[in-house]
Amino acid sequence: MGVLRSDYMVSQSGRRPTLRQVEINTIASSFGFLSERVCRAHRMLALKFPQLRIQLEDMPQNRFMEAIPSAFARALVLYEYKCNIRTQLSKEVFDDERQLKAELARQKSSTLVLFVVQPDERNIADQRFLEFELLSRYGIRSVRKTLAAIGEENQDRSDSILRANEEEVAISYFRAGYTPDDYPNESCWLGRELIESSRSIKCPDIATHLLGTKKVQQYLAKDGVVEKYIFDDEAVRRIRATFATQYGLGVHDDDRELGIAAAKASPELFVLKPQREGGGNNIFGAGIPSHIESMDDSALSAFVLQERFFPTVTRSMFVRSGEIFESDIESELGIFGVLIGSDEKVFLNEYSGHLLRSKVASSNETGFMLGFGMIDSIFLT
């Protein structure tokens, strides 16, 4: 299972604005629930103050709150059929919300959704929305555990069932595990290993997690790679139009020397990206040449050099720490999708909401938790 988010900017680097992909997030893709609430708040303000002359049709609704809890409920039903019921699941149960709820009521499942979280979780508000929606809409219970706690509780298990508080886990939902800081000791590594080797549905599994690395994104941009998986020529053309120019910097990358030369000649046109998530790790502009020079071949191979985008700048007002500010801002649009599948079949693959983050134009980063960005709403003009 995957709750994915593909992030885009409207870049002005060419003759006309174009939508360009920044990255794809395959683990702990966050802020969907908070974004849905911000969209609601902005739509309410448009209704409350008609003098603003804002039409609701110009403010797209966000369906994250509807789509993601439903996807988790369907995944739990799939788990029960796979592991405990062992009969064929009818398509109607999976596709129809009323029949889905009826099936959950019939199963009376005692299994849990496990939230894998950091010890001092700061983004708890966004996560709690899913917990509350699963319980109130579907009667599905959740529990929160760190990787270390999972490792300690399951280290002596003799079967493939993952347990939390001695109860069976149906879905392991990672909101941690994407940064080296999440693995400070062997208990944390053991926790990850025990989740991966269990029969619980992983959101995501380790393969899907690694698909979100910058190296995979760089590889997908190579000629002929997307065409291995998508056979519609027009779809391929539209997808490729969003790709950034990228250079691999490993010793086996054909474009390594070309990329290094381009970065040294025009560093302001590039971003140097490591295989890291969570924000605050990228190197921009004038800092790139010296950073490249400071690394040996092994260290440099962990980086990808990506074309830098120059987004449209707009004037806006925003609230931070209770104060109102006015500034030039740039925005980044994230499109959520949810995927449920097995080696043999894709059960669900659909759009599931959006996230718009804006930042002060003078800042390079848009990370919300690091204080760079803010949650915003789409306004079509």
Side-chain angles (χ1 to χ4, degrees):
M1 182 178 181
V3 177
L4 316 175
R5 195 187 74 227
S6 186
D7 292 337
Y8 301 89
M9 281 184 168
V10 177
S11 180
Q12 298 280 5
S13 53
R15 292 185 178 181
R16 58 175 183 155
T18 55
L19 191 67
R20 311 302 295 277
Q21 185 185 54
V22 178
E23 64 180 358
I24 186 165
N25 301 273
T26 58
I27 182 171
S29 304
S30 58
F31 304 121
F33 289 100
L34 294 178
S35 176
E36 191 269 350
R37 290 299 178 179
V38 170
C39 290
R40 280 194 190 187
H42 285 167
R43 288 172 64 87
M44 182 275 292
L45 290 172
L47 289 171
K48 187 173 182 179
F49 299 102
Q51 61 268 35
L52 295 174
R53 298 181 180 179
I54 295 175
Q55 304 300 316
L56 290 185
E57 56 263 30
D58 294 329
M59 302 178 68
Q61 295 191 62
N62 195 337
R63 66 182 303 266
F64 195 89
M65 186 77 79
E66 168 195 346
I68 298 303
S70 177
F72 272 80
R74 283 181 271 185
L76 189 139
V77 166
L78 280 174
Y79 178 86
E80 291 292 337
Y81 269 81
K82 173 187 173 184
C83 299
N84 299 324
I85 299 176
R86 300 183 186 279
T87 60
Q88 190 68 30
L89 174 65
S90 71
K91 189 174 185 299
E92 289 74 20
V93 168
F94 199 77
D95 291 345
D96 183 86
E97 183 77 2
R98 287 181 298 178
Q99 293 201 40
L100 173 63
K101 289 182 177 181
E103 179 62 23
L104 285 165
R106 186 188 69 80
Q107 288 180 2
K108 296 180 180 178
S109 174
S110 60
T111 57
L112 303 171
V113 173
L114 169 65
F115 282 66
V116 183
V117 297
Q118 294 172 330
D120 299 309
E121 182 61 66
R122 296 170 59 207
N123 193 17
I124 191 169
D126 188 58
Q127 300 166 15
R128 289 293 193 191
F129 276 114
L130 178 56
E131 290 185 52
F132 299 158
E133 286 296 305
L134 288 176
L135 186 60
S136 62
R137 282 167 54 182
Y138 302 105
I140 297 173
R141 296 174 302 125
S142 304
V143 65
R144 304 168 62 84
K145 294 275 186 177
T146 63
L147 284 167
I150 295 163
E152 291 166 5
E153 181 172 350
N154 288 271
Q155 60 184 335
D156 297 323
R157 80 176 189 213
S158 57
D159 53 29
S160 62
I161 298 175
L162 187 71
R163 293 177 175 85
N165 300 337
E166 301 184 354
E167 295 189 79
E168 184 175 353
V169 172
I171 304 170
S172 299
Y173 178 38
F174 284 94
R175 296 301 300 255
Y178 53 84
T179 169
D181 296 339
D182 289 337
Y183 302 91
N185 53 54
E186 286 302 314
S187 292
C188 296
W189 285 109
L190 178 62
R192 182 66 186 262
E193 180 182 350
L194 289 169
I195 293 172
E196 292 296 330
S197 62
S198 76
R199 72 185 194 182
S200 71
I201 294 174
K202 274 71 73 175
C203 183
D205 63 7
I206 188 63
T208 306
H209 176 181
L210 294 176
L211 283 175
T213 61
K214 309 301 183 290
K215 201 67 184 175
V216 172
Q217 185 181 1
Q218 174 224 334
Y219 180 72
L220 285 171
K222 289 181 175 292
D223 290 341
V225 177
V226 172
E227 290 80 355
K228 292 180 180 179
Y229 308 101
I230 298 176
F231 308 109
D232 184 317
D233 291 342
E234 177 59 19
V236 168
R237 184 194 67 77
R238 293 174 63 187
I239 291 170
R240 285 200 168 278
T242 70
F243 285 174
T245 300
Q246 299 185 71
Y247 299 96
L249 301 178
V251 294
H252 300 296
D253 285 305
D254 297 337
D255 52 359
R256 167 191 164 95
E257 296 305 323
L258 183 62
I260 292 175
K264 290 180 176 180
S266 304
E268 72 280 1
L269 300 180
F270 295 97
V271 182
L272 189 63
K273 294 185 170 185
Q275 311 303 308
R276 295 285 300 276
E277 297 297 332
N281 301 300
N282 298 335
I283 310 298
F284 294 84
I288 295 176
S290 60
H291 208 82
I292 290 176
E293 292 292 341
S294 70
M295 291 185 286
D296 59 23
D297 287 345
S298 177
L300 189 57
S301 66
F303 285 78
V304 167
L305 186 71
Q306 186 183 82
E307 164 196 355
R308 185 171 184 175
F309 303 141
F310 297 91
T312 303
V313 176
T314 56
R315 195 73 179 171
S316 187
M317 302 179 73
F318 57 92
V319 178
R320 175 178 286 168
S321 300
E323 294 187 50
I324 299 175
F325 297 86
E326 184 174 0
S327 175
D328 289 338
I329 65 166
E330 298 171 344
S331 298
E332 182 175 315
L333 175 64
I335 300 297
F336 286 100
V338 61
L339 174 70
I340 302 174
S342 65
D343 292 341
E344 299 83 25
K345 183 177 181 180
V346 174
F347 297 97
L348 180 68
N349 182 10
E350 66 180 21
Y351 162 75
S352 55
H354 65 265
L355 164 69
L356 188 71
R357 288 174 297 171
S358 296
K359 65 178 181 66
V360 175
S362 58
S363 171
N364 287 323
E365 298 275 5
T366 58
F368 179 76
M369 294 304 293
L370 295 175
F372 297 117
M374 62 213 80
I375 299 176
D376 211 337
S377 291
I378 297 174
F379 177 59
L380 303 176
T381 60

